Amino acid sequence: MTEHAVAIAGGGPAGMMLAAELALAKVDVAVVERRPDHVLAGSRAGGFHARTIEVLDQRGVADRFLAEGQVAQVATFGTTVLDMSDFPTRHPYSLGIWQNQIERIMADWIAELPVRIYYGREVTGFAQDDTGVDVELSDDQSLRARYLVGCDGGRSIIRKVAGIEFPGWDPTRSNLIAEVETTEEPPPGIRHDATGVHALNTMEDGRTVRVVVTEQQLGLGSEPTLSDLSEALIAVYGTDFGIHDPTWISRFTDMTRQAAAYRAGRVLLAGDSAHVHYPAGGQGLSLGVQDAVNLGWKLAQVVDGTSPESLLDTYRDERHPVAARALRHTMAQTALQRRDERMQALVDVVSELASMDEPRKRLAGIASGLDIHYDLGEGHPLLGRRMPDLDVATADGPVRVFELLHDAKPALLNLGEPGGFDIAPWADRVQPVDASYEGEWELPVLGAVPAPTAVLIRPDGYVAWVGDRTQLGLPEALTTWFGPPAA
Ligand SMILES: Cc1cc2nc3c(=O)[nH]c(=O)nc-3n(C[C@H](O)[C@H](O)[C@H](O)COP(=O)(O)OP(=O)(O)OC[C@H]3O[C@@H](n4cnc5c(N)ncnc54)[C@H](O)[C@@H]3O)c2cc1C
């Protein structure tokens, strides 16, 4: 039986990001992907938001995505665009880029890393014991891994076999999504009515039309036909525009559910396997990528014995509330898409509120993920928040803070007296960086915060400890996050 330290079921955005994180941390990782390769039928998601661009920037690969996509202010609430161009980040925007491009770029990236991928195979089940997991594959082979992570999407078999509950809300609305050719030119743009939202857009090739249409009746099942699409279009537009030659037809609903647990023993969930929702607001892909970035370094430290297994519980503690909040906002946005006259009145009121400065900032903070605050206790406002990508000066020259995180290693950034902090017992795990910084400290939504003397930055870019001239609490924070001191 082939053995790996970690097996990941599913090589979508969450699975690939997790594989990259584990490989950067030198963990022997394998991905099992049902598709024969990374080609994704259909364009699917239309991009991701600012914090996801930042986490990719932390690994030095954001430019690959930025080069193929289009930056824009597209985060919305109701009908209001949440302009975040005044947020203190290098990336105060969202990135428009189709999921099939995103997955191709990610696949190229992980091909540069020591990641084993088993394409064209499905995980069909597993059995775990005290030391590992036997992972059954569809070709009658099996893998043995110390941990298994289900990144296998909303219908996750890993979640089901693990017996993890998936409470939430049943679907009330369904949409067909398709890429087709038409004989008549459809009117481009978005239309709202009492059933929901509909959109027609001619794609880059000038021939294919991307159709998103809300069905008159809730449709279930994932294999809709061209005649289902034709019927749905006629109900909304009075014509089906002569649709033909579909390259992709799919259905999605507003089913909203979240896994009650993110871990059952040696089995974990990340991405859509842990949470599903309507795509209003475009949160899904970002949530999954950031789940992976939160989990990757923790799992790596547990696998190599640096940290106890209890570190994995912080993954659920931190990420469950983030997804729960996104689900709530998505449901609110989905409700606002239905437009009869009474709903229009509500949409108008919400739009008025959302365009005021304070609500705009709060909603943009949520949509972008830039306001995420993991509860790491009382203290400086930076604690548990994302470390800003400051330009700092070091003895070796200027450096961006995100560059320190390219190898997914934690850093103690000392902005006070050089050598002022003793982290020798953790020197094998944490990079000490003496630097100076003269500028403002400003966080999205919160605004200016007091300048710290030192910050302990986790590999996912969140601040684990903030120092004000003394070492108070530093050894404890190092032990909590990066294991006990070396003997
Ligand atoms: C129409 C639409 C528009 C969307 N728009 C946006 C948007 O603008 N922004 C956004 O952020 N999100 C959007 N989303 C959501 C986004 O597509 C998902 O949230 C995202 O793909 C989830 O990534 P994932 O890796 O968790 O799961 P998935 O992308 O579902 O990947 C799961 C992978 O696992 C594989 N797999 C499944 N089962 C098995 C198995 N048993 N064994 C092996 N492999 C398996 C699958 O082949 C797949 O590759 C949209 C979704 C839809 C449907």
Side-chain angles (χ1 to χ4, degrees):
M1 190 187 301
T2 312
E3 294 196 15
H4 295 282
V6 177
I8 299 173
M16 283 194 275
M17 191 73 208
L18 182 62
E21 293 292 292
L22 290 165
L24 286 169
K26 307 205 170 6
V27 171
D28 167 20
V29 56
V31 178
V32 183
E33 168 54 49
R34 166 195 286 163
R35 287 177 277 159
D37 54 35
H38 263 96
V39 177
L40 187 67
S43 46
R44 216 165 152 188
F48 45 75
H49 298 295
R51 181 60 187 150
T52 307
I53 307 175
E54 283 196 344
V55 300
L56 294 166
D57 203 359
Q58 288 175 177
R59 299 295 178 258
V61 294
D63 287 346
R64 303 182 187 199
F65 298 87
L66 290 164
E68 285 201 33
Q70 187 136 26
V71 301
Q73 298 298 334
V74 291
T76 53
F77 196 81
T79 50
T80 310
V81 174
L82 303 167
D83 189 330
M84 60 188 79
S85 48
D86 59 347
F87 272 4
T89 162
R90 257 176 239 279
H91 305 291
Y93 38 66
S94 302
L95 184 66
I97 178 168
W98 296 117
Q99 186 164 341
N100 46 14
Q101 294 172 278
I102 295 170
E103 294 205 15
R104 176 176 39 75
I105 298 168
M106 284 188 141
D108 289 347
W109 176 35
I110 62 170
E112 296 162 17
L113 299 168
V115 173
R116 177 72 201 267
I117 306 190
Y118 298 95
Y119 281 118
R121 265 165 269 193
E122 253 178 64
V123 175
T124 52
F126 65 82
Q128 59 172 317
D129 54 46
D130 288 348
T131 56
V133 189
D134 290 325
V135 183
E136 296 155 24
L137 305 185
S138 48
D139 59 0
D140 289 335
Q141 302 287 315
S142 57
L143 298 177
R144 173 87 181 162
R146 291 180 53 202
Y147 287 87
L148 169 66
V149 187
C151 295
D152 51 340
R155 297 189 178 92
S156 172
I157 185 157
I158 306 300
R159 186 187 66 234
K160 288 171 192 157
V161 175
I164 294 175
E165 283 182 36
F166 203 37
W169 294 266
D170 287 336
T172 62
R173 187 200 299 187
S174 60
N175 286 65
L176 297 180
I177 182 164
E179 286 166 13
V180 289
E181 293 191 28
T182 58
T183 49
E184 293 165 45
E185 195 172 327
I190 295 180
R191 183 181 286 196
H192 293 268
D193 63 22
T195 54
V197 67
H198 321 283
L200 300 168
N201 286 299
T202 304
M203 299 190 69
E204 292 77 8
D205 65 6
R207 225 180 44 242
T208 310
V209 177
R210 180 173 149 111
V211 179
V212 178
V213 61
T214 307
E215 294 181 282
Q216 300 300 305
Q217 267 100 38
L218 177 65
L220 297 172
S222 57
E223 307 289 344
T225 61
L226 193 63
S227 84
D228 294 331
L229 184 64
S230 164
E231 204 178 293
L233 282 169
I234 290 169
V236 177
Y237 294 92
T239 168
D240 70 359
F241 307 104
I243 50 168
H244 58 95
D245 287 322
T247 47
W248 175 52
I249 308 182
S250 187
R251 177 181 274 128
F252 61 90
T253 74
D254 63 349
M255 181 171 76
T256 304
R257 294 184 179 278
Q258 185 172 18
Y262 280 20
R263 175 162 89 95
R266 293 179 168 272
V267 177
L268 296 117
L269 303 177
D272 274 19
S273 69
H275 34 72
V276 293
H277 57 83
Y278 196 68
Q283 293 291 324
L285 199 145
S286 290
L287 282 173
V289 167
Q290 291 178 52
D291 284 349
V293 173
N294 186 289
L295 175 61
W297 64 276
K298 294 174 181 173
L299 186 54
Q301 287 183 186
V302 172
V303 164
D304 73 13
T306 303
S307 294
E309 212 175 36
S310 57
L311 183 66
L312 295 177
D313 295 330
T314 68
Y315 163 60
R316 194 260 181 206
D317 295 347
E318 293 178 354
R319 294 302 299 170
H320 191 280
V322 172
R325 183 178 76 159
L327 260 49
R328 202 161 61 91
H329 273 247
T330 304
M331 285 201 287
Q333 299 233 51
T334 309
L336 291 171
Q337 285 180 346
R338 283 202 173 111
R339 297 288 164 76
D340 55 24
E341 283 177 19
R342 284 162 198 273
M343 273 309 293
Q344 186 61 52
L346 177 62
V347 169
D348 292 344
V349 172
V350 169
S351 297
E352 233 173 272
L353 290 172
S355 50
M356 291 173 177
D357 208 42
E358 179 67 23
R360 169 190 64 87
K361 281 190 182 156
R362 291 187 61 154
L363 292 169
I366 295 169
S368 62
L370 289 171
D371 73 334
I372 289 171
H373 180 206
Y374 297 141
D375 184 5
L376 306 190
E378 297 284 304
H380 190 283
L382 276 166
L383 189 64
R385 291 197 164 85
R386 68 181 251 298
M387 177 65 193
D389 186 21
L390 308 177
D391 290 299
V392 297
T394 71
D396 299 326
V399 69
R400 284 172 47 190
V401 167
F402 283 6
E403 284 168 351
L404 302 173
L405 300 173
H406 280 186
D407 295 333
K409 275 211 163 124
L412 179 71
L413 182 66
N414 169 26
L415 300 160
E417 196 66 25
F421 296 94
D422 176 18
I423 60 163
W426 289 271
D428 55 335
R429 286 157 265 171
V430 182
Q431 359 161 24
V433 181
D434 287 336
S436 61
Y437 173 69
E438 304 302 334
E440 291 279 299
W441 285 77
E442 205 189 343
L443 294 178
V445 189
L446 279 194
V449 298
T453 311
V455 279
L456 179 62
I457 311 168
R458 307 190 321 190
D460 58 357
Y462 288 84
V463 175
W465 173 84
V466 184
D468 183 16
R469 269 174 265 282
T470 75
Q471 275 215 189
L472 199 66
L474 179 59
E476 291 79 6
L478 285 161
T479 304
T480 300
W481 296 110
F482 310 116

